[in-house]
Amino acid sequence: MTTTTPGTAQVELAIGGMTCASCAARIEKKLNRMDGVEATVNYATEKAKVTFDADIDVAALIATVEATGYTAAEPTPPESETPGAEGPSDEERAEEELRPLKQRLITAVSLAVPVIAMAMVPALQIEYWQWLSLTLAAPVVVYAAWPFHRAAWTNARHGAATMDTLISVGTIAAFLWSLWALFFGTAGTPGMTHPFEFTIARTDGAGNIYLEAAAGVTAFILAGRYFEARSKRKAGAALKALMQLGAKEVTVLRGGQEVTVPTAELQVGTRFLVRPGEKIATDGTVVEGSSAVDASMLTGESVPVEVSVGDSVTGATLNAGGRLVVEATRVGSDTQLARMAKLVEDAQNGKAAAQRLADRISAVFVPVVIALALGTLGFWLGTGQGLTAAFTAAVAVLIIACPCALGLATPTALMVGTGRGAQLGILIKGPEVLETTRKVDTIVLDKTGTVTTGRMTLLKVHTAENTDESDVLRLAGALEHSSEHPIAQAVATGAAARVGTLPTPEDFANIPGLGVQGVVEGHAVLVGREKLLDEWAMALPADLKAAKDAAEKAGRTAIAVAWDGKARAVLEVADAVKETSAEAIRRLRGLGLNPILLTGDNKAVAEAVAAEVGIDEVVAEVMPQDKVDVVKRLQAEGRSVAMVGDGVNDAAALAQADLGLAMGTGTDAAIEAGDLTLVRGDLRAAADAIRLSRRTLGTIRSNLFWAFAYNVAALPLAAAGLLNPMIAGAAMAFSSVFVVGNSLRLRGFRAADR
């Protein structure tokens, strides 16, 4: 529990027992009815964030949640990691939590398949097939479907009806009627079969069993719940991925000795060593050495940052150059990385839970069906037709409304849609994501790694008069190849790609902050900043000076090259725009989305990239927390915002956005915070993902419509007592076949570039 403003406190409760988004809404409503309490409940993370008056006991909040039919507790702090200690991994703990659901699913599927087969294939209806069906279906309805019955009872006690209510009522009605028909009717007669008759005639229902409906619906819904639960369990993985980015161990300086200790033992004022290629353990100030620090994965800056004594550095960034000694200034929860993790968590908790479409329909459909069944019972009793006929008609109404096709509507469309998406490099996390894709009107694009390649690239070579470009690349590339600096490596890679194998320098020296010098093929070569050439009295000629100024104005890094006492060339290095980005922007506009470029890079770089790909609106020079604020501002303006990013610095904004699209080529933190993952790393996949998601949502909607329409059309027959078993079976089977066939059409979805 934490204290916020004077007189108030805040607590985060772990909520248990929620089965759908409407459960979260119910808990939130109950908590907010308490005086002095403001709560938000997130179904995905299974947490409630509650702000309350300080005189309110947390136990009272927990009691309110429990009175609503769910469990609540303050989350236990994570156990500290002890070297050498072994414990269950996150994946093992998640599997352990899912094991009961998995066991119910396996039970339901293994027993329901033969029940459905016997009901649908007359050749399998042996002499006592109906009793075998009862034996197999009973564990499915009683054991496997128990979570639905429990949730339906909880909903009923609070005057609510959801998908669970519809499943429970339908399966119990079908099962109990089958029991009555078997034990007290004629359905238990040896040799009884379900004949293929489509005549409409009034029957007493004594020879009809519906065990396949009860078992089949349970199996289908459990399958959907299981795969949804697996996806939901990953909701907190973004936070874990963020925290795992930091260094686990650090080399500290104690009495002139180097000692390796866990990073958690660092304190403010401790001095620690960072070698080339190591992560900086925590936020601090450089007290010795100079280097280039690659902070792109944390800040979004594509150009490495040169640091020296007195400069600040951030934990989890990479030392790409020389040896540094850093004095810690912030540790633990005060570091920028920890604050970013908190931003991601807050954004996830604050995101409004999407109300599942099936629950919205069920909230209306279930009460109507139950009311109609009771009305049918009353009508037949009132007309003096007898209790058997009245009860037969009433139960028939419930049976024909049993959601066989509804159980298939969302899972089959989602399965086919997500399967097709995976083939195209698009991963969709769940059905709630699809609803959001229909609403988004603004798409915010991170620059580095999303619109651009995310790595420094040699773009242009400007040569002086009478200087051959291949000579420049060969000599400069050979010298830069010996340097660890990211920009030097970009030059070396680009040179090797254009001229082939590079020669080996006879002499090499790194000049911190300026560049490199050495001897290549007998030439004394300088590569670096203009200041390096000035120190050797080698001025850039006018044309190269103009090229350098133009490159820097466009936000690119300009590198001067000289040998044998004369300036020979200027190289332009920058984060290159992906070849497909401009086409991707055109496609996103075609979907009705307004693109905005958002980056931590300087404004000149951002505007140059935006102009190249066709984006009009640019927000540059923003820190990670500012990215979240930009998304919030757009949402406050009434826009529905999609965010595309790939770095740790994008994770909080991805979680805050209405729709987060993470580039699969980026960091785990960004991927876990996103709703859609674009495995291809091609921005055109963002347009394909939104198109596929919208089409999948449309398929789910049409499935739900027809799933109800077929059964609703037969409700008057059921109410009139004319429910022939084949008509009921045909209505259920045909609606299911239609739903599956409609979902399979998604297999024909094609990416626009394929």
Side-chain angles (χ1 to χ4, degrees):
M1 187 174 69
T2 58
T3 301
T4 53
T5 56
T8 66
Q10 190 175 87
V11 68
E12 190 174 72
L13 301 177
I15 306 296
M18 294 190 294
T19 61
C20 61
S22 60
C23 298
R26 193 174 306 121
I27 298 170
E28 187 173 299
K29 186 176 181 180
K30 281 284 187 180
L31 287 171
N32 285 325
R33 282 181 177 174
M34 298 177 66
D35 292 335
V37 173
E38 184 177 342
T40 58
V41 181
N42 191 312
Y43 170 57
T45 59
E46 296 183 328
K47 291 180 181 179
K49 186 176 181 180
V50 189
T51 303
F52 56 97
D53 291 344
D55 57 350
I56 297 177
D57 191 359
V58 175
L61 301 175
I62 294 175
T64 298
V65 175
E66 291 176 343
T68 313
Y70 306 90
T71 62
E74 292 191 66
T76 55
E79 298 180 4
S80 58
E81 295 184 6
T82 304
E86 293 186 3
S89 65
D90 293 336
E91 292 78 8
E92 290 172 340
R93 281 192 290 267
E95 285 299 323
E96 184 65 30
E97 292 176 5
L98 287 174
R99 184 167 287 118
L101 179 58
K102 185 177 182 179
Q103 290 172 343
R104 294 181 194 275
L105 173 61
I106 293 173
T107 301
V109 172
S110 59
L111 297 181
V113 168
V115 173
I116 296 171
M118 285 188 288
M120 297 182 66
V121 182
L124 298 178
Q125 294 178 4
I126 58 178
E127 187 172 4
Y128 291 99
W129 73 275
Q130 68 272 46
W131 295 102
L132 177 58
S133 291
L134 175 63
T135 304
L136 296 174
V140 178
V141 175
V142 176
Y143 165 71
W146 174 247
F148 305 131
H149 305 322
R150 182 178 57 207
W153 173 245
T154 300
N155 294 329
R157 288 193 296 116
H158 295 90
T162 66
M163 178 74 172
D164 293 308
T165 309
L166 191 58
I167 297 164
S168 181
V169 169
T171 54
I172 289 176
F175 185 72
L176 291 180
W177 181 257
S178 299
L179 283 180
W180 182 89
L182 286 168
F183 285 97
F184 302 103
T186 60
T189 304
M192 185 278 292
T193 61
H194 277 170
F196 279 77
E197 295 177 358
F198 288 90
T199 56
I200 296 178
R202 184 165 295 143
T203 69
D204 63 2
N208 305 336
I209 61 173
Y210 300 96
L211 295 171
E212 76 282 0
V217 167
T218 301
F220 285 132
I221 301 296
L222 279 174
R225 289 284 171 88
Y226 176 72
F227 292 113
E228 178 187 12
R230 284 183 64 89
S231 175
K232 189 160 66 71
R233 286 296 172 199
K234 297 180 180 179
L239 304 179
K240 297 187 183 91
L242 272 173
M243 298 313 297
Q244 288 172 357
L245 287 173
K248 301 297 184 292
E249 293 183 333
V250 58
T251 302
V252 299
L253 301 177
R254 292 177 178 171
Q257 300 294 318
E258 297 181 2
V259 182
T260 301
V261 300
T263 303
E265 295 183 11
L266 279 178
Q267 296 181 351
V268 174
T270 302
R271 294 192 173 189
F272 59 93
L273 175 66
V274 188
R275 300 181 180 89
E278 291 183 344
K279 289 181 181 178
I280 297 174
T282 192
D283 299 356
T285 302
V286 178
V287 294
E288 182 182 322
S290 62
S291 181
V293 174
D294 182 359
S296 59
M297 65 187 311
L298 195 64
T299 66
E301 292 280 355
S302 56
V303 180
V305 180
E306 300 286 349
V307 297
S308 57
V309 176
D311 291 331
S312 298
V313 291
T314 305
T317 55
L318 185 68
N319 178 16
R323 177 182 183 275
L324 294 175
V325 176
V326 179
E327 183 176 304
T329 56
R330 288 195 297 241
V331 297
S333 60
D334 290 332
T335 65
Q336 184 173 338
L337 181 65
R339 290 176 180 178
M340 287 176 62
K342 182 63 176 172
L343 281 173
V344 173
E345 185 174 22
D346 290 345
Q348 286 181 337
N349 284 334
K351 182 184 285 189
Q355 179 72 9
R356 288 180 55 182
L357 197 55
D359 277 331
R360 291 204 296 268
I361 296 175
S362 300
V364 177
F365 186 74
V366 174
V368 169
V369 169
I370 293 174
L372 183 58
L374 293 174
T376 300
L377 179 66
F379 173 79
W380 284 104
L381 288 175
T383 57
Q385 296 296 320
L387 181 61
T388 299
F391 194 67
T392 297
V395 173
V397 170
L398 292 176
I399 291 174
I400 196 63
C402 188
C404 292
L406 181 60
L408 288 167
T410 297
T412 54
L414 193 62
M415 179 176 65
V416 179
T418 54
R420 181 58 184 150
Q423 292 176 336
L424 300 174
I426 301 164
L427 304 182
I428 303 172
K429 283 195 174 178
E432 294 87 354
V433 174
L434 305 178
E435 292 191 67
T436 308
T437 61
R438 181 177 57 88
K439 304 171 186 176
V440 292
D441 52 33
T442 301
I443 185 162
V444 177
L445 305 165
D446 171 58
K447 180 187 74 67
T448 306
T450 303
V451 177
T452 64
T453 62
R455 60 182 182 274
M456 302 302 288
T457 305
L458 177 61
L459 299 179
K460 290 184 180 181
V461 179
H462 303 276
T463 60
E465 188 176 356
N466 298 324
T467 301
D468 186 72
E469 181 176 313
S470 61
D471 291 337
V472 173
L473 292 172
R474 190 176 67 260
L475 298 178
L479 206 57
E480 293 283 56
H481 184 67
S482 301
S483 173
E484 296 177 339
H485 198 288
I487 292 179
Q489 288 299 306
V491 172
T493 300
R498 300 187 193 187
V499 300
T501 304
L502 301 173
T504 301
E506 292 109 56
D507 185 35
F508 172 84
N510 179 53
I511 305 171
L514 292 178
V516 293
Q517 66 183 37
V519 177
V520 182
E521 295 182 343
H523 301 284
V525 184
L526 298 175
V527 183
R529 296 186 177 185
E530 183 182 11
K531 185 178 179 181
L532 176 62
L533 272 65
D534 290 341
E535 290 185 356
W536 288 82
M538 287 182 271
L540 290 175
D543 55 342
L544 293 184
K545 179 71 173 176
K548 170 186 170 296
D549 293 342
E552 292 178 343
K553 186 176 181 181
R556 297 176 176 177
T557 299
I559 303 168
V561 181
W563 67 80
D564 295 343
K566 183 179 179 181
R568 307 281 183 165
V570 167
L571 310 178
E572 287 189 29
V573 174
D575 184 7
V577 173
K578 294 179 180 178
E579 295 180 358
T580 58
S581 291
E583 174 63 23
I585 299 303
R586 287 193 291 272
R587 293 182 187 177
L588 291 170
R589 288 188 185 277
L591 292 171
L593 304 177
N594 176 44
I596 298 174
L597 188 67
L598 182 65
T599 178
D601 264 346
N602 66 69
K603 192 171 183 179
V605 173
E607 289 180 344
V609 171
E612 187 171 344
V613 298
I615 297 177
D616 301 324
E617 190 172 349
V618 176
V619 182
E621 300 177 10
V622 291
M623 294 299 290
Q625 58 269 31
D626 297 326
K627 290 189 175 184
V628 177
D629 293 339
V630 170
V631 173
K632 287 181 178 179
R633 174 176 59 80
L634 293 170
Q635 290 170 330
E637 294 174 359
R639 302 197 207 183
S640 183
V641 181
M643 169 78 188
V644 186
D646 76 322
V648 175
N649 62 306
D650 304 316
L654 285 167
Q656 175 64 41
D658 299 291
L659 177 68
L661 295 94
M663 304 296 285
T665 52
T667 63
D668 290 342
I671 292 171
E672 295 297 347
D675 301 309
L676 294 166
T677 300
L678 312 178
V679 178
R680 284 189 277 158
D682 184 340
L683 189 56
R684 290 178 298 180
D688 291 334
I690 292 174
R691 283 198 305 116
L692 175 60
S693 298
R694 288 178 177 178
R695 187 172 297 182
T696 304
L697 176 62
T699 301
I700 290 175
R701 288 175 177 274
S702 62
N703 282 351
L704 289 170
F705 172 79
W706 290 110
F708 284 105
Y710 282 118
N711 291 346
V712 168
L715 278 174
L717 293 176
L722 300 173
L723 184 63
N724 178 281
M726 276 314 302
I727 294 177
M732 291 180 185
F734 188 62
S735 61
S736 298
V737 170
F738 180 90
V739 161
V740 173
N742 191 40
S743 298
L744 289 174
R745 293 192 306 120
L746 288 168
R747 295 172 63 183
F749 178 86
R750 294 285 183 270
D753 58 319
R754 297 189 179 188

